[in-house]
Amino acid sequence: MRLQVCYGGTFDPVHTGHLAIACTVRDALAADVRLIPAADPPHKGETHADAAHRLRMLALAIAGEPGLVIDARELRREGPSYTVDTLRDLRAELGDQAPIAWLVGSDSLVQLHTWHRWRELFTYAHVLVVERVGSRVDPGSLGRHSPDVQAEIGPRWRRAGELSASPAGGFAVLPLPRPRPESSTELRRRLVAGEPWQDWVSPAVAAYIVRHHLYAPRHRSPAPL
């Protein structure tokens, strides 16, 4: 069965770095990638653009990209967007045998033990870490900074290409081929400061941000959806 990779985030806004990661995972693992925008991420606080805007920008960003789909279940669910609940729902939907992986960045791995019911993640899915250039996933360093995480993933470690052979329970690392400078935080800062930003998003997303005055100083009035 084809691996289903879940890529969660606020996508506030979605940028070319997000798209590059999704396409890298899709191509390297012959996977379908579900981009899952969060409604209320407990570990990040409030979003800057509302859900309708973030969802529309995500649709514009992935238009024409095969194997990339939007899964908006967290936007329809009330309350905090806990990853374990999303994976439980997806597992019930896809069945016991479908291989599922949840994608996290290497910088988020050290914080995995702070996630809600984090050990249950492995009941429903694999955990796949995208290893950014200069941010290597090192078991020794992880053991020093997050010993609980290292103890949990150590016996689960396998090659990324092996994740599709089982439904859940594994851990793998997939290196990115080159550095990605994009950051939603820096992108929003550039927008507010009036600095160049358009090359970090697709033309369609850039046009949408300008049209709706997103991430602009508060005195501007947004255009209607």
Side-chain angles (χ1 to χ4, degrees):
M1 299 178 68
R2 192 171 173 90
L3 178 65
Q4 302 291 312
V5 175
C6 301
Y7 185 5
T10 53
F11 303 110
D12 193 22
V14 59
H15 51 64
T16 50
H18 292 131
L19 191 61
I21 290 171
C23 290
T24 295
V25 172
R26 176 199 62 191
D27 297 343
L29 303 181
D32 293 325
V33 178
R34 295 170 175 255
L35 294 102
I36 306 179
D40 180 19
H43 59 292
K44 285 194 174 183
E46 294 182 359
T47 54
H48 297 266
D50 66 31
H53 283 307
R54 291 185 290 114
L55 188 62
R56 182 57 183 154
M57 287 188 286
L58 199 53
L60 292 170
I62 70 169
E65 283 289 350
L68 305 187
V69 298
I70 297 173
D71 186 326
R73 70 184 66 229
E74 292 192 355
L75 300 182
R76 298 189 294 265
R77 187 171 66 221
E78 295 183 1
S81 297
Y82 290 124
T83 298
V84 67
D85 294 332
T86 298
L87 286 174
R88 181 192 60 203
D89 292 347
L90 189 59
R91 173 58 65 194
E93 178 183 310
L94 297 181
D96 293 340
Q97 298 306 309
I100 301 173
W102 189 270
L103 187 67
V104 301
S106 53
D107 53 342
S108 298
L109 182 62
V110 295
Q111 300 296 326
L112 191 64
H113 64 288
T114 68
W115 292 24
H116 185 62
R117 300 188 346 248
W118 68 279
R119 286 188 172 90
E120 289 184 41
L121 299 176
F122 295 97
T123 301
Y124 304 113
H126 306 292
V127 171
L128 174 63
V129 171
V130 172
E131 187 178 64
R132 300 177 186 275
V133 176
S135 183
R136 183 171 175 268
V137 178
D138 176 65
S141 177
L142 185 60
R144 290 189 297 274
H145 293 94
S146 299
D148 289 346
V149 175
Q150 175 56 30
E152 184 68 34
I153 69 172
R156 301 179 183 276
W157 208 300
R158 63 192 67 179
R159 295 176 181 172
E162 298 173 346
L163 296 182
S164 60
S166 60
F171 172 83
V173 176
L174 183 68
L176 283 180
R178 63 186 182 89
R180 301 300 316 187
E182 302 92 344
S183 149
S184 292
T185 300
E186 173 62 14
L187 180 52
R188 293 192 302 267
R189 188 200 67 77
R190 292 185 182 190
L191 277 155
V192 171
E195 298 176 7
W197 57 272
Q198 288 90 341
D199 59 336
W200 275 13
V201 298
S202 71
V205 171
Y208 189 91
I209 289 173
V210 171
R211 177 188 171 194
H212 295 281
H213 305 291
L214 299 181
Y215 312 106
R218 294 291 183 181
H219 66 271
R220 299 184 188 177
S221 298
L225 284 173

